[in-house]
Amino acid sequence: MPDDDTFLIASIDRAERSRHEGNHPFGAVLVLYGTVVLEAGNTVVTDQDSTGHAETNLVRLATRTYARDELAAATLYTSTEPCAMCAGAVYWSGIGRVVYALGEDELLALTGANDENPTMALPCREVFAAGQRPIEVSGPHLRERAVAVHDGFWN
């Protein structure tokens, strides 16, 4: 079975494609039973939808495609730590595990006060801890690779 790094790289590759599609450089994949079953990129710009984050787009697909008990066994891999909105979506979906590459605090250091990404300093672990069910979280990982997809984007 592939390891977390393999799936994180897939999410970072999806983030790169999002950037090439004219969106912000974020991507996510859903893994179930050791296989990538869904992927999504950021669509904030092309859909003119501030909720079009990669993780939220993936959750929408996942909840339409899989039963809640299946999602409990799934892992969402994402190029960047889920923001508060995305963490809420993950929580409500029933997904059992999140693995991320770039931390939200590291993203804030990259973007600064960029109007296109008003990053919140609220770790996903804190959002999940406020809920009634546990969600396993692992990250940050592969920082250099995750930062590279943002290189030159936010200036």
Side-chain angles (χ1 to χ4, degrees):
M1 184 168 127
D3 63 8
D4 285 344
D5 285 357
T6 300
F7 296 126
L8 278 175
I9 290 168
S11 74
I12 295 167
D13 289 346
R14 184 60 185 96
E16 184 71 36
R17 286 197 312 278
S18 292
R19 182 176 178 167
H20 289 300
E21 292 164 355
N23 287 291
H24 300 161
F26 302 103
V29 300
L30 187 72
V31 172
L32 192 57
Y33 310 119
T35 302
V36 174
V37 294
L38 294 172
E39 67 170 44
N42 181 283
T43 58
V44 167
V45 176
T46 56
D47 287 352
Q48 297 179 354
D49 177 0
S50 61
T51 68
H53 293 195
E55 300 89 346
T56 304
N57 288 337
L58 187 66
V59 165
R60 286 183 189 118
L61 290 170
T63 57
R64 287 192 298 253
T65 307
Y66 295 98
R68 193 167 177 87
D69 61 328
E70 290 176 296
L71 291 176
T75 300
L76 186 150
Y77 290 86
T78 181
S79 62
T80 305
E81 180 178 3
C83 70
M85 176 186 68
C86 292
V90 169
Y91 174 79
W92 290 110
S93 74
I95 291 171
R97 183 170 181 250
V98 172
V99 180
Y100 65 88
L102 187 66
E104 187 80 352
D105 58 337
E106 296 169 308
L107 177 64
L108 179 58
L110 285 175
T111 64
N114 190 302
D115 289 341
E116 286 194 47
N117 194 55
T119 302
M120 298 176 79
L122 182 59
C124 69
R125 285 176 174 90
E126 289 184 32
V127 175
F128 296 146
Q132 296 179 25
R133 70 175 185 87
I135 298 174
E136 181 183 339
V137 179
S138 181
H141 304 283
L142 304 178
R143 183 187 185 284
E144 288 180 22
R145 190 160 189 158
V147 166
V149 75
H150 294 271
D151 188 39
F153 185 84
W154 300 106
N155 0 16

